[in-house]
Amino acid sequence: MCLIVIAWRAHPEIPSLVAANRDEFHGRPTAAAHWWTDRSDILAGRDLVAGGTWIGITRSGRFAAVTNYRDPAQARPDAPSRGSLVRSFLESGATLAEGLANLRKVGADYNGFNMLLSDGERLGVYESVRGEGRELGPGVFGLSNHLLDTPWPKVTTAKSRLHEALREGADRQSVLALLRDETPAPDEELPRTGVKLATERLLSSAFIRSADYGTRSSTLISIDRSRQVCFDEWSWDGAGAEVGRVNWRFELQSAQTRT
């Protein structure tokens, strides 16, 4: 994931709403979001190279999503896949506090990352460059390839548009539209993360259109106050055209009634 905005306990009818773009090389084998055959309580896409995922939810409402922290100078080619962190939390029965504690233990083994995670009742964030995590209160939060709520243009704009969408009822198309925004940031507002200026420009929009590397999928996950979950995922090719769509609907189960 390279852009996640989440409204947590910020709307009376929709306690949780997540909108996220996954940016990745188009040639990396990927499975669209599905109920996993080896863990039937997990709904997520799957990285077919390393076996993990970038965003997912369970039947009980456990949620996790990860973004890379952009710092080319610190990248280690032999580090394990960060998608395994999402998978591990989804597979676990850990509370938020336990999940954050585990990330403090293992986070240094991975290249830089940020992870949003929820045990279904509480939401938290872990930022590996700080080696720390914390619980988040109600609000709208944005995460790209830096720390939570770093005011990169695409994060600021996406949060603003999510606030607006919530005021208007948070219909699916208005939330998808903020993920499909291809407006680049002005050069004077670009972050400086150690990549070339042309690359900073390319990566500055919410939706990245490029033949080799770009936005592979967009995901919307909402949970309403009656515990109904809507999980929508769109897949995109290098030209930005839709090449797949999945829509899942289910009701959250308690730990006692899960199968």
Side-chain angles (χ1 to χ4, degrees):
M1 282 296 172
C2 285
L3 176 64
I4 308 170
V5 285
I6 181 169
W8 179 255
R9 309 294 191 250
H11 190 282
E13 300 297 325
I14 311 171
S16 179
L17 175 61
V18 181
N21 277 344
R22 179 201 183 208
D23 301 335
E24 181 56 89
F25 288 100
H26 287 287
R28 189 176 179 99
T30 295
H34 61 287
W35 292 105
W36 289 9
T37 56
D38 53 340
R39 283 300 301 252
S40 61
D41 60 332
I42 293 177
L43 175 58
R46 203 154 195 177
D47 171 22
L48 298 179
V49 175
T53 187
W54 50 96
I55 188 170
I57 191 170
T58 70
R59 295 185 188 275
S60 65
R62 179 177 296 276
F63 163 83
V66 69
T67 68
N68 299 343
Y69 185 94
R70 192 186 308 150
D71 186 354
Q74 299 298 320
R76 295 168 292 165
D78 59 341
S81 170
R82 288 160 283 201
S84 65
L85 295 168
V86 176
R87 175 177 181 167
S88 294
F89 183 74
L90 294 177
E91 291 178 335
S92 77
T95 65
L96 174 63
E98 291 168 342
L100 292 174
N102 180 65
L103 289 171
R104 292 185 189 101
K105 293 178 182 177
V106 305
D109 296 337
Y110 295 78
N111 284 322
F113 69 92
N114 305 294
M115 187 164 156
L116 287 166
L117 59 162
S118 171
D119 58 12
E121 300 296 330
R122 293 162 294 276
L123 175 71
V125 64
Y126 182 83
E127 299 160 323
S128 73
V129 297
R130 288 179 167 172
E132 276 300 327
R134 63 193 183 278
E135 184 175 350
L136 300 172
V140 173
F141 305 96
L143 186 61
S144 186
N145 302 114
H146 205 265
L147 302 176
L148 185 73
D149 287 337
T150 295
W152 287 4
K154 67 178 176 181
V155 173
T156 302
T157 299
K159 288 176 60 179
S160 176
R161 293 183 66 178
L162 184 56
H163 273 292
E164 181 180 350
L166 287 169
R167 287 194 296 270
E168 297 177 356
D171 71 277
R172 186 171 62 168
Q173 290 306 312
S174 65
V175 181
L176 177 62
L178 73 86
L179 295 176
R180 288 282 291 175
D181 184 2
E182 297 187 53
T183 307
D187 281 2
E188 62 271 18
E189 297 180 18
L190 291 174
R192 296 294 186 265
T193 62
V195 300
K196 295 180 179 179
L197 178 59
T199 303
E200 292 284 15
R201 288 174 182 145
L202 175 69
L203 300 179
S204 68
S205 58
F207 189 93
I208 300 169
R209 186 195 300 259
S210 175
D212 296 326
Y213 178 92
T215 302
R216 293 280 303 273
S217 61
S218 300
T219 304
L220 305 183
I221 306 174
S222 65
I223 304 174
D224 68 22
R225 68 174 183 171
S226 65
R227 296 174 60 84
Q228 298 297 316
V229 180
C230 296
F231 187 116
D232 299 301
E233 180 190 85
W234 293 260
S235 297
W236 318 104
D237 66 14
E242 182 181 325
V243 292
R245 185 186 305 187
V246 295
N247 312 107
W248 298 95
R249 305 289 184 266
F250 64 99
E251 183 176 351
L252 289 183
Q253 300 176 0
S254 66
Q256 289 74 25
T257 60
R258 260 189 332 221
T259 58

